[in-house]
Amino acid sequence: MPRIRQRRLRLTSDFDFVEATSDDTTVRPIDQSLQDSSPMTTIGRHPPPARTLPSPNPPASPPGGDASETYKARTTDVIMARYRVQVALGYGRFGTVVRAEDTVTGTLVAVKLLHKGEDLHVDPLWEARIFQKILDGCDRRVSSFARVIQSGTFDGFKCIVLELCQATLYDIIKGYCGLVPLPARHILEMSYQIVDAVSYLHSLGIIHTDIKLDNIAVKCADVTTVKWLDVLTGYHDKRILVTTQICILDLGRAVHAIVPTGNHGRVCCLPYRAPEVNLGMPWSYGVDAFAIGCTLANIYVGDSLMSVDIDSDQEHLASIDKLVGPFPEEYARKINEKYPKMFKFDNGISILWSPERDTSSDASHVETASIHNRSLCDLIRNLMRPNPRDRITLEAATRHQYFDGLNALQLG
Ligand SMILES: Nc1ncnc2c1ncn2[C@@H]1O[C@H](COP(=O)(O)OP(=O)(O)OP(=O)(O)O)[C@@H](O)[C@H]1O
């Protein structure tokens, strides 16, 4: 059977990046940028943008399959008699996300219209319920999650109205917004917010289960231009984000942690999936920690840590082994009890899968060694420990030495 490369269909063409009018090159501490409501961040869509980035991609089309089950954006549609559709923002496995104007308040929102397939088993109220729990926690980190505004039905599609966020980290890292390489300070600030936000979710007993670059967006699309030193070519103008505040998207797959037995089922996108999920073992908060480790590495190296061509569990485990292994012997033996022949122990521990058997992809094509920031590399390795019991908790990760840099002035 031919290998089918599974790729998300997405639209990334409609982010209005506005050139900030102020010439601010000051590095601001993270706590300030988190709460920032300075004039810099309020420069937005009104008046009309001084500069809009060119369309990064040809418009993506809705996924194939039964066309009547997937919502296609039409600018004539007014969802729930209130939200006038402007443009499709993305097509996910579970729904189409559009940007719409709230005809009552005049503000812009995102509306997710769930695909109709009966096999999807998606409850549109679930995302709203999880967000309510986040709200009930009364914590400053509430603002790190896309606000769920309303839910309802339109034309037979169940829909969820959400706070509109801007470019996802996927769009940014892929270079669609002209912002790469990201300044080290921005990587630091974004990393901290991701770890801190999901740590808050964990403190509420909730596991996100779908952390990935596509599900983290920046809140504000304003950019400014600074003088940037390239060691080879000297100074040149570079666009950077004015503020790095991030927003976690897609609470649709969040679950309550089942303690102490652990949760079951296949969660997370394969390149971000922790080994215990692949192995069909019980999993818990560690799946988010592992996915965050992958995400931070992707942000730093600007590429996917695991090959997108990986399509077997064993190949994926071999990638993890190569990246952050070896699997501890005790854990490997435990896995072998359930899946004999997964590991052989004759000459050190190794996974039986071998790249020679499948030459169409590397076991992994990015090494953690390419992460030159040693403390970030250490944080990532701790988040991605093969045995979930060895993995650092997100709460502890917020105190990792990599984040000591938040209090220091960093240039570059
Ligand atoms: N609040 C939002 N603001 C702006 N864009 C959004 C918002 N929510 C989602 N998007 C865009 O739509 C895409 C798909 O959204 P989402 O991940 O919530 O859908 P899904 O069907 O659950 O997808 P997945 O395949 O990731 O499970 C996102 O990757 C993002 O590009």
Short mmCIF file of all heavy atoms in Angstrom, two decimals, residues 35-67:
data_model
loop_
_atom_site.label_atom_id
_atom_site.label_comp_id
_atom_site.label_asym_id
_atom_site.label_seq_id
_atom_site.Cartn_x
_atom_site.Cartn_y
_atom_site.Cartn_z
N GLN A 35 1.23 41.33 30.94
CA GLN A 35 0.10 42.17 31.36
C GLN A 35 0.02 43.45 30.54
O GLN A 35 -0.77 44.32 30.83
CB GLN A 35 0.29 42.56 32.83
CG GLN A 35 0.26 41.36 33.74
CD GLN A 35 1.00 41.64 35.04
OE1 GLN A 35 1.30 42.78 35.34
NE2 GLN A 35 1.28 40.61 35.78
N ASP A 36 0.85 43.50 29.53
CA ASP A 36 1.05 44.75 28.84
C ASP A 36 -0.21 45.28 28.17
O ASP A 36 -0.87 44.59 27.44
CB ASP A 36 2.11 44.54 27.77
CG ASP A 36 2.77 45.85 27.41
OD1 ASP A 36 2.20 46.91 27.70
OD2 ASP A 36 3.84 45.78 26.84
N SER A 37 -0.54 46.49 28.47
CA SER A 37 -1.62 47.11 27.71
C SER A 37 -1.15 48.48 27.25
O SER A 37 -1.90 49.42 27.15
CB SER A 37 -2.88 47.22 28.57
OG SER A 37 -2.56 47.98 29.71
N SER A 38 0.16 48.58 27.05
CA SER A 38 0.74 49.84 26.63
C SER A 38 0.27 50.17 25.22
O SER A 38 -0.21 49.31 24.51
CB SER A 38 2.26 49.72 26.65
OG SER A 38 2.66 48.81 25.66
N PRO A 39 0.43 51.44 24.82
CA PRO A 39 -0.06 51.83 23.49
C PRO A 39 0.51 50.96 22.38
O PRO A 39 -0.14 50.73 21.39
CB PRO A 39 0.43 53.28 23.35
CG PRO A 39 0.68 53.75 24.74
CD PRO A 39 1.02 52.56 25.54
N MET A 40 1.73 50.43 22.56
CA MET A 40 2.32 49.61 21.51
C MET A 40 1.41 48.44 21.14
O MET A 40 1.24 48.11 19.99
CB MET A 40 3.65 49.03 21.99
CG MET A 40 4.76 50.03 22.05
SD MET A 40 5.22 50.54 20.42
CE MET A 40 5.97 49.06 19.80
N THR A 41 0.83 47.83 22.16
CA THR A 41 0.06 46.63 21.88
C THR A 41 -1.34 46.95 21.41
O THR A 41 -2.03 46.08 20.94
CB THR A 41 -0.03 45.75 23.14
OG1 THR A 41 -0.66 46.52 24.15
CG2 THR A 41 1.30 45.27 23.60
N THR A 42 -1.76 48.18 21.58
CA THR A 42 -3.12 48.49 21.17
C THR A 42 -3.18 48.98 19.73
O THR A 42 -4.26 49.19 19.20
CB THR A 42 -3.74 49.55 22.09
OG1 THR A 42 -2.89 50.69 22.06
CG2 THR A 42 -3.88 49.05 23.51
N ILE A 43 -2.02 49.15 19.11
CA ILE A 43 -2.04 49.52 17.69
C ILE A 43 -2.55 48.30 16.96
O ILE A 43 -1.93 47.26 16.99
CB ILE A 43 -0.64 49.87 17.18
CG1 ILE A 43 -0.08 51.03 17.98
CG2 ILE A 43 -0.67 50.20 15.70
CD1 ILE A 43 1.40 51.20 17.83
N GLY A 44 -3.67 48.36 16.38
CA GLY A 44 -4.24 47.13 15.83
C GLY A 44 -4.81 47.31 14.46
O GLY A 44 -4.16 47.85 13.59
N ARG A 45 -6.03 46.88 14.31
CA ARG A 45 -6.63 46.85 12.98
C ARG A 45 -7.28 48.16 12.60
O ARG A 45 -7.78 48.31 11.53
CB ARG A 45 -7.64 45.72 12.95
CG ARG A 45 -6.96 44.42 13.14
CD ARG A 45 -7.95 43.32 13.35
NE ARG A 45 -7.20 42.09 13.57
CZ ARG A 45 -6.67 41.37 12.58
NH1 ARG A 45 -6.81 41.72 11.33
NH2 ARG A 45 -5.99 40.29 12.85
N HIS A 46 -7.38 49.10 13.53
CA HIS A 46 -7.99 50.39 13.22
C HIS A 46 -7.01 51.48 13.60
O HIS A 46 -6.55 51.50 14.73
CB HIS A 46 -9.28 50.59 14.03
CG HIS A 46 -10.16 49.39 14.00
ND1 HIS A 46 -10.85 49.00 12.88
CD2 HIS A 46 -10.41 48.46 14.96
CE1 HIS A 46 -11.53 47.89 13.15
NE2 HIS A 46 -11.27 47.54 14.39
N PRO A 47 -6.63 52.39 12.74
CA PRO A 47 -7.03 52.50 11.34
C PRO A 47 -6.43 51.38 10.50
O PRO A 47 -5.62 50.61 11.02
CB PRO A 47 -6.47 53.86 10.94
CG PRO A 47 -5.29 54.05 11.83
CD PRO A 47 -5.63 53.40 13.12
N PRO A 48 -6.76 51.30 9.22
CA PRO A 48 -6.31 50.19 8.37
C PRO A 48 -4.81 50.00 8.44
O PRO A 48 -4.06 50.96 8.61
CB PRO A 48 -6.74 50.63 6.97
CG PRO A 48 -7.82 51.61 7.18
CD PRO A 48 -7.57 52.27 8.48
N PRO A 49 -4.37 48.75 8.35
CA PRO A 49 -2.96 48.44 8.51
C PRO A 49 -2.05 49.22 7.58
O PRO A 49 -2.37 49.41 6.41
CB PRO A 49 -2.88 46.95 8.17
CG PRO A 49 -4.24 46.51 7.82
CD PRO A 49 -5.19 47.61 8.08
N ALA A 50 -0.90 49.64 8.14
CA ALA A 50 0.08 50.33 7.32
C ALA A 50 0.69 49.35 6.32
O ALA A 50 1.00 49.69 5.21
CB ALA A 50 1.17 50.90 8.20
N ARG A 51 0.86 48.10 6.75
CA ARG A 51 1.41 47.10 5.85
C ARG A 51 0.83 45.73 6.18
O ARG A 51 0.73 45.35 7.32
CB ARG A 51 2.92 47.04 6.01
CG ARG A 51 3.54 46.34 4.80
CD ARG A 51 4.93 45.92 5.04
NE ARG A 51 5.83 46.99 5.43
CZ ARG A 51 7.09 46.73 5.78
NH1 ARG A 51 7.54 45.51 5.78
NH2 ARG A 51 7.87 47.70 6.16
N THR A 52 0.39 45.04 5.18
CA THR A 52 -0.13 43.70 5.38
C THR A 52 0.80 42.73 4.70
O THR A 52 1.24 42.97 3.58
CB THR A 52 -1.53 43.57 4.74
OG1 THR A 52 -2.34 44.59 5.28
CG2 THR A 52 -2.14 42.22 5.04
N LEU A 53 1.13 41.66 5.39
CA LEU A 53 2.03 40.69 4.79
C LEU A 53 1.39 40.07 3.56
O LEU A 53 0.19 39.86 3.52
CB LEU A 53 2.34 39.59 5.79
CG LEU A 53 3.26 39.97 6.93
CD1 LEU A 53 3.53 38.76 7.79
CD2 LEU A 53 4.56 40.54 6.41
N PRO A 54 2.19 39.75 2.55
CA PRO A 54 1.63 39.08 1.38
C PRO A 54 1.12 37.70 1.76
O PRO A 54 1.58 37.11 2.73
CB PRO A 54 2.82 38.97 0.43
CG PRO A 54 4.02 39.11 1.29
CD PRO A 54 3.62 39.94 2.46
N SER A 55 0.17 37.18 1.00
CA SER A 55 -0.36 35.84 1.27
C SER A 55 0.77 34.83 1.23
O SER A 55 1.46 34.70 0.23
CB SER A 55 -1.39 35.46 0.23
OG SER A 55 -2.49 36.29 0.37
N PRO A 56 1.00 34.11 2.35
CA PRO A 56 2.11 33.19 2.41
C PRO A 56 1.87 31.92 1.61
O PRO A 56 2.78 31.30 1.13
CB PRO A 56 2.22 32.87 3.89
CG PRO A 56 0.87 33.14 4.46
CD PRO A 56 0.24 34.17 3.59
N ASN A 57 0.63 31.54 1.48
CA ASN A 57 0.29 30.25 0.87
C ASN A 57 -0.81 30.43 -0.13
O ASN A 57 -1.65 31.30 0.05
CB ASN A 57 -0.30 29.32 1.97
CG ASN A 57 0.73 28.37 2.50
OD1 ASN A 57 1.81 28.29 1.96
ND2 ASN A 57 0.38 27.67 3.53
N PRO A 58 -0.88 29.60 -1.14
CA PRO A 58 -2.11 29.60 -1.91
C PRO A 58 -3.23 29.16 -0.99
O PRO A 58 -2.99 28.35 -0.09
CB PRO A 58 -1.85 28.55 -3.00
CG PRO A 58 -0.69 27.76 -2.53
CD PRO A 58 0.08 28.60 -1.58
N PRO A 59 -4.44 29.70 -1.14
CA PRO A 59 -5.51 29.34 -0.22
C PRO A 59 -5.70 27.83 -0.16
O PRO A 59 -5.76 27.18 -1.20
CB PRO A 59 -6.75 30.00 -0.82
CG PRO A 59 -6.24 31.05 -1.72
CD PRO A 59 -4.88 30.61 -2.18
N ALA A 60 -5.73 27.30 1.05
CA ALA A 60 -5.96 25.86 1.21
C ALA A 60 -7.43 25.58 1.01
O ALA A 60 -8.27 26.43 1.23
CB ALA A 60 -5.52 25.42 2.60
N SER A 61 -7.74 24.41 0.57
CA SER A 61 -9.14 24.04 0.38
C SER A 61 -9.58 23.16 1.52
O SER A 61 -8.75 22.59 2.24
CB SER A 61 -9.30 23.31 -0.94
OG SER A 61 -8.35 22.28 -1.00
N PRO A 62 -10.87 23.02 1.72
CA PRO A 62 -11.33 22.14 2.78
C PRO A 62 -10.89 20.71 2.51
O PRO A 62 -10.64 20.37 1.36
CB PRO A 62 -12.87 22.24 2.70
CG PRO A 62 -13.15 23.40 1.84
CD PRO A 62 -11.97 23.63 0.98
N PRO A 63 -10.77 19.90 3.56
CA PRO A 63 -10.35 18.52 3.34
C PRO A 63 -11.32 17.80 2.44
O PRO A 63 -12.49 18.17 2.35
CB PRO A 63 -10.33 17.92 4.75
CG PRO A 63 -10.94 18.91 5.64
CD PRO A 63 -11.05 20.20 4.95
N GLY A 64 -10.82 16.72 1.82
CA GLY A 64 -11.68 15.93 0.93
C GLY A 64 -12.75 15.20 1.72
O GLY A 64 -13.01 15.52 2.87
N GLY A 65 -13.30 14.19 1.15
CA GLY A 65 -14.38 13.47 1.82
C GLY A 65 -15.70 14.07 1.44
O GLY A 65 -15.82 14.80 0.46
N ASP A 66 -16.71 13.79 2.25
CA ASP A 66 -18.05 14.26 1.94
C ASP A 66 -18.11 15.78 2.12
O ASP A 66 -18.07 16.29 3.24
CB ASP A 66 -19.04 13.55 2.86
CG ASP A 66 -20.48 13.87 2.47
OD1 ASP A 66 -20.67 14.84 1.71
OD2 ASP A 66 -21.37 13.15 2.92
N ALA A 67 -18.23 16.49 0.98
CA ALA A 67 -18.19 17.96 1.02
C ALA A 67 -19.31 18.52 1.88
O ALA A 67 -19.15 19.57 2.52
CB ALA A 67 -18.27 18.50 -0.39
#
